[in-house]
Amino acid sequence: MVADSGYGSEENYEYMDMNFIDGYVKYNMFHTELKRKHIANPFLPEHLYYNAEKDFFVCPMGQHMGFVGKKKSVSDLGYETTLRVYRATNCTGCPLRGRCFHGTGNREIKDNVRSRLYRDKAKELLTSERGLYHRSRRPIEPEAVFGQIKYDGGFRRFHYCGRQYVGAEFAAIAIAHNIRKMAALRSS
Ligand code: SF4
C-alpha cells in the first residue's frame, strides 16, 4: 500500500498490520524527522532514553520522568487512542529549562506506544530501497491522474452516497479515464 501522509494514522497502520499489508505510508512528521535539526535535538520526546522494563524516560539532565497517567481520545470514526503521560519530578532551577520546554511546572511528555511502533515500522519501509522507489513514483502516478480527472475532466463531486455507490461511480470514471488514455496513445 502506497499513500501520502494524510493516510498515516494509527488506525490505518493498525488495519494494514492486521491484514499483513506492507504500508509505504508516510506520517505527518516523516520529512521533519529526517532533517538534521530534528535529529540533533536532544529535547524531543522521541530522543529521550526510555526504560521499557521500569517504564520511565530519562530527560537530558538525567532525571527520570515517571508514568503519571493515561489520556484517551476517540476519533470521529470511533477509533480509540491511548496516550501515556510521563512527568519529570522537579524542573525548578534546571539550567536547560529554556531549551527543554516553555510550560509551567514540571515537564510532561505524552507517548503513544502503539502509534510509535507503527511509525517506526513505516519509517523503516519508507527509507528502504523499495520505499525510495515507491516514494519517487507516488507523486507522479496517482496525483497526475487525480488532476486530470478533477480539473481537466471537471469531476468535482460524487453524485451518489454510500461506499458501494461511490465505488461503482469511481470505477466508471476510472474506466473512462483509461479509455481516454488508450485512445490518446493510439492516435499519437
Ligand atoms: S527542564 Fe526538567 S525535564 Fe527538562 S532537562 Fe531540565 S529537569 Fe529535565
Side-chain angles (χ1 to χ4, degrees):
M1 177 79 72
V2 181
D4 67 21
S5 60
Y7 299 91
S9 67
E10 183 184 340
E11 185 176 3
N12 287 345
Y13 286 136
E14 185 180 81
Y15 176 85
M16 290 187 284
D17 192 49
M18 289 173 75
N19 289 282
F20 309 103
I21 297 168
D22 282 340
Y24 295 89
V25 180
K26 291 178 194 170
Y27 43 92
N28 56 1
M29 289 291 285
F30 175 73
H31 287 292
T32 307
E33 281 182 9
L34 298 179
K35 289 183 180 158
R36 209 177 305 164
K37 195 175 162 196
H38 181 96
I39 294 168
N41 186 344
F43 298 99
L44 295 171
E46 57 267 42
H47 293 163
L48 303 182
Y49 169 77
Y50 176 63
N51 186 319
E53 198 185 321
K54 296 188 176 157
D55 192 22
F56 64 80
F57 284 86
V58 180
C59 82
M61 271 304 274
Q63 190 176 134
H64 288 192
M65 303 178 80
F67 173 71
V68 291
K70 289 180 187 176
K71 277 191 180 164
K72 292 196 177 196
S73 64
V74 182
S75 74
D76 293 344
L77 295 172
Y79 185 80
E80 192 174 290
T81 300
T82 305
L83 294 169
R84 292 176 66 79
V85 184
Y86 298 82
R87 189 185 297 141
T89 318
N90 185 9
C91 295
T92 310
C94 173
L96 300 178
R97 183 169 181 140
R99 291 169 61 203
C100 185
F101 79 115
H102 298 289
T104 54
N106 299 320
R107 184 181 178 188
E108 270 187 10
I109 58 170
K110 297 183 185 74
D111 184 45
N112 181 338
V113 182
R114 194 166 52 176
S115 180
R116 175 161 46 88
L117 294 176
Y118 285 143
R119 286 199 311 269
D120 287 349
K121 186 178 168 191
K123 191 176 191 174
E124 196 181 319
L125 284 171
L126 287 161
T127 52
S128 67
E129 198 174 323
R130 198 171 171 77
L132 292 174
Y133 170 77
H134 285 312
R135 281 165 59 196
S136 69
R137 301 298 304 164
R138 195 202 59 76
I140 305 165
E141 289 171 351
E143 301 300 343
V145 173
F146 284 144
Q148 286 157 9
I149 290 173
K150 286 171 72 178
Y151 296 99
D152 301 345
F155 181 77
R156 309 305 298 257
R157 188 179 277 269
F158 285 96
H159 298 85
Y160 300 96
C161 295
R163 189 176 292 186
Q164 192 185 356
Y165 295 113
V166 168
E169 189 175 358
F170 189 73
I173 289 161
I175 291 167
H177 180 79
N178 287 340
I179 291 171
R180 236 188 343 257
K181 275 174 78 175
M182 273 173 58
L185 271 175
R186 285 190 180 171
S187 63
S188 63

